[in-house]
Amino acid sequence: MNEDLQNTANKSGSWVSQPAENTSAAAASVVPLSEAVNPWDIVLCTSGTVISCENAIVVVTIFHSPSLRAPMFVLIGSLAVADLLAGIGLIVNFTFAYLLHSEAAKLVTVGLIVASFSASICSLMAITIDRYLSLYYALTYNSERTVTFTYIMLIVLWGVSICLGVLPVIGWNCLKDESTCSVIKPLTKNNVAALSVSFLLMFALMLQLYIQICKIVMRHAHQIALQHHFLATSHYVTTRKGVSTLAIILGTFAACWMPFTVYCLIADYTYPSIYTYATLLPATYNSIINPVIYAFRNQEIQKALWLICCGCIPPNILLRARSPSDV
């Protein structure tokens, strides 16, 4: 079955690089569109559709609700916008790959995907920084300085992401020299390597911040337990829940992006495309999981969403108290 998928992939017009000999063989034969469509590209397009719909709900909820204007919600909104654009990029790329065979269109769509996924990862980094600051500087967090710092982070992360997306369009691509192509055409091997190394550095920083957050959460939970004379078991359960939540957040992020990042560092355009698809697809799943972790679990966003949908808030959400593990 894997051999059939790989053979189908070698016939497609996708942006995933194909070995030169397979590309030539595909070009030598005329294949009807219905037979030439790569099933992996269909899965990516479907993933993009789910990403777009899910994150569109988050974007509408946040921008429709005046109560969601705190720095935390602005950053969650930035994450949702980035993932929404990534989903749209996957859909547009599929459409252009099979309906509009244009190098310019390919450059633009790949640039959009690179910029949006970069903004998504950078937004996750910004959310991590915001969570750390909200715990470490709890007394001064709700100030104008925090708002200013949040918007500075947004300007920087979107500026950097847009620049990364523009690079292939303005000439940093492998269209003129296929030997420099990476696993993602038309990105060069150097371009993808730089993106991968940047991701690994950001992941290391996020890991360090989450370790510090875990320490703060454990200290806060212990202090609350002492103040309210909780039993040691209650303190243990609360702390474990908070640490487990952070582990799930970071573990999900690593599981989605690490395989594709490592593969980009060791592979080039001569590698079978099935490996690229197999590592790229989980990376797109991160944009599906992000709204669940960062938006739909948030009590304030849940309230706003219920108000938009039915004009009421269920009592179980309205009366639920925030615990030290909700980080």
Side-chain angles (χ1 to χ4, degrees):
M1 181 176 180
N2 289 340
E3 184 178 355
D4 294 338
L5 289 175
Q6 184 175 340
N7 291 336
T8 305
N10 289 336
K11 297 178 183 178
S12 72
S14 175
W15 50 309
V16 175
S17 294
Q18 314 292 337
E21 60 273 12
N22 293 332
T23 305
S24 300
S29 59
V30 179
V31 183
L33 178 62
S34 59
E35 297 180 12
V37 175
N38 182 1
W40 286 98
D41 287 333
I42 295 177
V43 176
L44 282 175
C45 183
T46 304
S47 178
T49 303
V50 175
I51 291 171
S52 300
C53 296
E54 198 176 14
N55 285 279
I57 295 175
V58 179
V59 172
V60 171
T61 301
I62 291 178
F63 285 93
H64 181 269
S65 306
S67 60
L68 303 179
R69 295 294 180 267
M72 174 179 63
F73 299 114
V74 173
L75 293 175
I76 294 176
S78 171
L79 175 64
V81 170
D83 287 334
L84 174 61
L85 292 176
I88 294 175
L90 292 173
I91 298 172
V92 173
N93 176 78
F94 178 84
T95 304
F96 283 176
Y98 293 99
L99 299 181
L100 181 61
H101 300 282
S102 168
E103 296 293 352
K106 182 183 295 185
L107 287 172
V108 172
T109 54
V110 171
L112 172 61
I113 292 173
V114 170
S116 54
F117 276 124
S118 298
S120 176
I121 295 174
C122 290
S123 294
L124 292 175
M125 181 75 244
I127 290 174
T128 305
I129 295 174
D130 178 73
R131 287 183 170 183
Y132 173 76
L133 294 177
S134 68
L135 293 172
Y136 192 80
Y137 299 102
L139 297 179
T140 59
Y141 175 75
N142 296 312
S143 63
E144 288 296 326
R145 180 181 299 180
T146 302
V147 176
T148 303
F149 180 71
T150 299
Y151 282 102
I152 291 175
M153 282 198 300
L154 286 175
I155 293 173
V156 172
L157 77 86
W158 278 100
V160 171
S161 301
I162 291 173
C163 289
L164 293 175
V166 169
L167 287 178
V169 180
I170 62 176
W172 196 5
N173 57 65
C174 64
L175 295 180
K176 295 182 180 180
D177 185 5
E178 188 174 299
S179 63
T180 63
C181 282
S182 66
V183 294
I184 298 297
K185 190 178 181 180
L187 300 181
T188 65
K189 176 70 174 177
N190 291 336
N191 191 347
V192 171
L195 292 173
S196 299
V197 171
S198 299
F199 168 83
L200 293 176
L201 292 175
M202 291 184 64
F203 178 76
L205 180 58
M206 288 178 65
L207 179 61
Q208 179 62 29
L209 287 174
Y210 271 123
I211 291 175
Q212 297 302 319
I213 290 174
C214 282
K215 293 180 180 179
I216 296 174
V217 169
M218 294 174 67
R219 185 166 64 249
H220 284 186
H222 179 68
Q223 292 173 351
I224 293 175
L226 292 177
Q227 292 174 4
H228 294 80
H229 305 289
F230 288 163
L231 296 177
T233 303
S234 176
H235 166 237
Y236 171 75
V237 171
T238 303
T239 304
R240 185 182 64 178
K241 182 180 177 182
V243 174
S244 298
T245 300
L246 295 175
I248 291 172
I249 291 173
L250 195 61
T252 300
F253 179 61
C256 289
W257 276 104
M258 197 62 72
F260 181 66
T261 302
V262 175
Y263 181 72
C264 286
L265 287 173
I266 64 177
D268 56 32
Y269 75 102
T270 62
Y271 280 58
S273 60
I274 188 173
Y275 299 141
T276 303
Y277 283 111
T279 54
L280 176 62
L281 192 59
T284 66
Y285 291 162
N286 188 65
S287 296
I288 298 178
I289 299 173
N290 282 339
V292 178
I293 294 179
Y294 295 95
F296 298 141
R297 289 177 65 255
N298 185 278
Q299 183 178 349
E300 297 303 320
I301 293 180
Q302 288 179 8
K303 291 179 182 179
L305 190 56
W306 275 101
L307 286 174
I308 293 174
C309 293
C310 64
C312 62
I313 302 176
N316 61 321
I317 296 179
L318 188 62
L319 301 177
R320 189 174 64 194
R322 180 179 174 87
S323 69
S325 63
D326 297 331
V327 295

